[in-house]
Amino acid sequence: MRNGIVLFTSDRGITPARLAVAAEERGFDTIYVPEHTHIPVRRDALHPTGGEELPDDRYLRTLDPWVSLATCAAVTTTIGLSTAVALPVESDPITLAKTLATLDHLSGGRVTIGAGFGWNTDELTDHHVPAEKRRTVLKEYLEAMRALWTQEEASYDGQFVSFGPSWAYPKPPQGRIPVIIGAGAGPKTFDWIAANADGWMTTPTTTDVAANADKLRKVWADAGREGQPDVRILVAKRPTEEDFADWMGAGASELIWGVPDSDESAVLTYLDKMAARLGLSA
């Protein structure tokens, strides 16, 4: 399994670019950052933990993910660039397609999109995304962006996205940008992934990953998809031997380890310890 890191970016602590350099030097494979455009003060949506209050104030302070990853791309050469998770439906799809294709082009094809449906429905509402339609909106956004990335004269006609024949360059170097959906396990999510995405990223509360990955693979095969879905594990606690066995049984491609948004010295010390524990080397 590969090893990635996720930084809950904020306007304090280590910068994404400095962390990306340090992570690449220590043998980590991917850097992930999150996305929230804003947090409405009045909020009806519960946090995924079930609480009315946010766990901390970083949700209010997150940096733009694509600007953050662009700074990472500029100072690294191999580390993958991804999100855990981005919210594509909070951007204009034509503009976002351009941003992602540009980042992928300039980084040499290192971008993967970790996308979510959006738990904060109040945030989505401000972007004119109906909460009950957010999966449909994301489906259309991805279809429209893929058209722009792959077709000489792209067009799309949907309920939430529509544009006539258009030219759009650059195209992603690998011909596509993989999309991994970060969401809780369940039939609805797995059906959606099999129809629209390239894989699944667990949530911090996901359990029985191997059993759920088996369910996803069955849905994937039943949908006529070739190959296997990409399964990535968001590590939310110090794992046990049983956890590693579960993740191996799931056929996970990557473990995603969190790092604190502390000052540079503290983060680099933390990263050194993590790299040593995982047996990584530059």
Side-chain angles (χ1 to χ4, degrees), residues 222-246:
D222 289 346
R225 296 288 298 270
E226 296 181 355
Q228 298 286 330
D230 186 341
V231 176
R232 305 188 184 193
I233 310 298
L234 189 62
V235 181
K237 62 184 180 66
R238 191 176 184 90
T240 64
E241 291 185 7
E242 290 77 14
D243 290 324
F244 279 107
D246 187 30

Side-chain angles (χ1 to χ4, degrees), residues 91-114:
S91 298
D92 172 82
I94 300 173
T95 303
L96 182 59
K98 173 71 75 173
T99 297
L100 291 169
T102 301
L103 177 60
D104 203 40
H105 168 73
L106 294 176
S107 68
R110 290 190 273 152
V111 177
T112 299
I113 305 166

Side-chain angles (χ1 to χ4, degrees), residues 130 132-133 136-137 140-141 143 156-162:
E132 70 280 4
K133 292 286 188 178
T136 301
V137 178
E140 290 195 3
Y141 270 44
E143 290 174 345
Y156 191 82
D157 186 18
Q159 180 182 357
F160 297 97
V161 185
S162 181

Side-chain angles (χ1 to χ4, degrees), residues 50-68:
E52 294 184 3
E53 300 299 323
L54 295 171
D56 59 62
D57 70 345
R58 289 180 299 179
Y59 287 86
L60 322 181
R61 313 181 75 94
T62 52
L63 306 182
D64 179 273
W66 312 117
V67 173
S68 295

